[in-house]
Amino acid sequence: MLSPERPGLFRVLCLFALFEAACLLDTGMLFPRESSSREVKELSGLWSFRADKSPDRNQGFDKAWYKSRLWETGPVIDMPVPASYNDITQDPTLRDFIGWVWYEREVVVPARWVTDEGTRVVIRVGSAHYYSIVWVNGVKVTEHNGGHLPFEAEVGSLIRKDPTQPCRITIAVNNTLTLETLPPGSIQHIDDITKYPKGFFVQNIYFDFFNYAGIHRPVLLYTTPTAYVDDITVVTDFLDNTGRVNYKVSVQGATTATVKVTLMDKDGHCVASSTEPFGVLKVVDVNLWWPYLMHESPGYLYSMEVRLMAANERSTHEDVYTLPVGIRTVSVTSTQFLINKKPFYFHGVNKHEDSDIRGKGFDWPLIVKDFNLLKWMGANSFRTSHYPYAEEILQMCDRHGIVVIDECPGVGIKDIRSFRNASLNHHLDVMDELVRRDKNHASVVMWSVANEPASEMPPAEFYFKTLIQHTKALDPTRPVTYVSNSHYARDKGAPYVDVICINSYFSWYHDPGHLEVIPLQLNTQFENWYGKYQKPIIQSEYGADAVPGLHSDPPMMFTEEYQKVVLQSCHDVFDQKRKQYVIGELIWNFADFMTVQGITRVVGNKKGVFTRQRQPKAAAFILKERYWRLANETGRLPPWTKYPCSL
Ligand code: GCB
């Protein structure tokens, strides 16, 4: 990826590496889409729910709650899916619950799914936090370690066992974190009965957001033929006016197969086709995928239709899957981030999946509102701090040209025991799952393997070297970073990243109230890091808490005025350094978000430039002014926008 001397050969090698890497995992994880050969049944809505409040949280397994209907085991309540369960009731013990919770729902499946042996029926959970086990009609079908990423299992044979019965789906989810989970955490039992009630325990976490739990993203049943398109990998490139889509199609369940691949433009016209399972599609007069505000028509997507004609011992099958494809390149020099060979400056935000009542639950109105706010403020990018976001969000980014730094849940790696092999192996698995899920998104331009780990600790070097090299081997076409804290004296992982990402909070956690230190300290930070590593730098977090409606002049901490001045003081330095090697600035944070209770958090973290209800604070207007100015300087505004714009 870094300035290859023989670009053509280099690309081909990258491609083979990506195709090989894509094969490391047993199966693909294509987003379920309807087509002439595939149906999708969404199971969003009300599920039965029961938290296992027994002292060891194991009653559900001791009494085998999955074997009967959940209400037969004890009292159940209604629980919306998708949603975190924590803020749904008035029960404080459920908000702060740690352990197993049980969800159940009965589904009537179409008769054809039952009778047609040539149909494969799959259950897919978009994400559940943290450890999940799934049963269908009392039979375990899968388990999954980790939130934020999808998992699935074939369930056709179980559904067919007794077609007269509805299909009963039970999902148990446990939010307990350990030193080997991502993010890590630990349970602390406190036995002093003079101070704490019997059985008292807490979950210690080392990250700054509420550990929301439950089924966070949609649960689906979907079908494919028994011979089916299991995975598609695309890597794009262009030379002059000709785009190249290098692709590979993986097929499962077929004894013989032929494939037809057709690439269509936005108007549905075929621009290239092939009958090979892998190869290169050449697109004459290509419409490249461009970021928002860098081009007048950002987010251009082609549609790649893969049509499989296959046979197995049962019958012949046709399977159709259509993948949106954006044609673009990404590369990095020692001072620049290039998209389509042109310098790209990240002017964007850090986000969280977080909102009132829903917690981390997937919610279309919230997602669309957030995209409208991003575009209103002229943001061209965000980092998925501190875990992978829903695939539907990345699809929106592809379509709107919002550039993404895709971060895995490696946040809060602070305890030296979390650098052991068990943790590293799990972290490598999570990167496999993340790259498998997100490799085809044009909007994803960089992987972030962690946020602010204790990177000065001795085992950090081996840990991050291994992790970063593994990620580069998985996907040699994208740069890899991890996010450092500016105050760490020695950063053992930094030599291995392609881009340095730094978080710093001058005049907040350090020298609180002293706004005058910002220009000097920020300047020193940049000079030190660039001097040491000679790699482009993104200011990946900066900001200050502001309680909305709190004012003071001269500015004082926690007021909207203080937040404004922190931002403005940083912007002056960014403006000097972006002429050299600073390639981006991402505000912390897009919106206020919930955290654990603590003496530095006033009902959550208030560093949002929008409130949790998505209303602008004064700082949002500062950013809007700045981002549109940056866009005017560095990009080409779409014809339908006028500065200052009111989208
Ligand atoms: C950070 C963390 C982020 C916190 C933020 C803060 O450095 O990366 O998760 O929320 O600081 O507000 O303290």
Side-chain angles (χ1 to χ4, degrees), residues 2 64 94 154 160 170 174 183 405 493:
L2 289 176
L94 187 59
E154 266 189 68
R160 284 181 195 117
T170 313
N174 191 333
I405 300 173

Side-chain angles (χ1 to χ4, degrees), residues 75 111 127 246 270 319-320 326 395 414 594:
S127 82
N246 304 280
C270 169
D319 188 22
V320 182
Q395 290 162 8
K414 306 281 188 197
M594 193 46 68

Side-chain angles (χ1 to χ4, degrees), residues 208-209 352 383 386 411 451-452 485 503 505 509 541 545 588 593 601 605 607:
D208 182 37
F209 52 91
H352 263 298
R383 168 167 72 120
H386 294 305
V411 56
N451 178 69
E452 293 192 11
N485 183 306
N503 299 343
Y505 291 91
Y509 294 119
E541 287 182 27
D545 287 74
W588 189 265
F593 58 92
R601 297 289 176 255
N605 186 310
K607 292 194 186 70

Side-chain angles (χ1 to χ4, degrees), residues 367-425:
I367 291 170
V368 176
K369 177 74 178 175
D370 281 3
F371 271 81
N372 287 334
L373 291 176
L374 287 171
K375 293 177 87 172
W376 171 86
M377 73 196 285
N380 64 3
S381 52
F382 65 78
R383 168 167 72 120
T384 68
S385 45
H386 294 305
Y387 37 81
Y389 294 174
E391 291 161 276
E392 292 85 341
I393 295 179
L394 297 182
Q395 290 162 8
M396 289 277 285
C397 290
D398 290 343
R399 287 178 36 235
H400 291 270
I402 301 292
V403 168
V404 177
I405 300 173
D406 201 353
E407 187 158 283
C408 88
V411 56
I413 306 176
K414 306 281 188 197
D415 189 304
I416 195 151
R417 290 168 294 174
S418 291
F419 286 102
R420 290 176 183 161
N421 277 350
S423 299
L424 176 58
N425 288 336

Side-chain angles (χ1 to χ4, degrees), residues 350-352 385 542 587-593 607-610:
N350 292 275
K351 289 182 96 263
H352 263 298
S385 45
Y542 71 104
I587 186 76
W588 189 265
N589 187 284
F590 172 73
D592 292 345
F593 58 92
K607 292 194 186 70
V609 295
F610 296 98

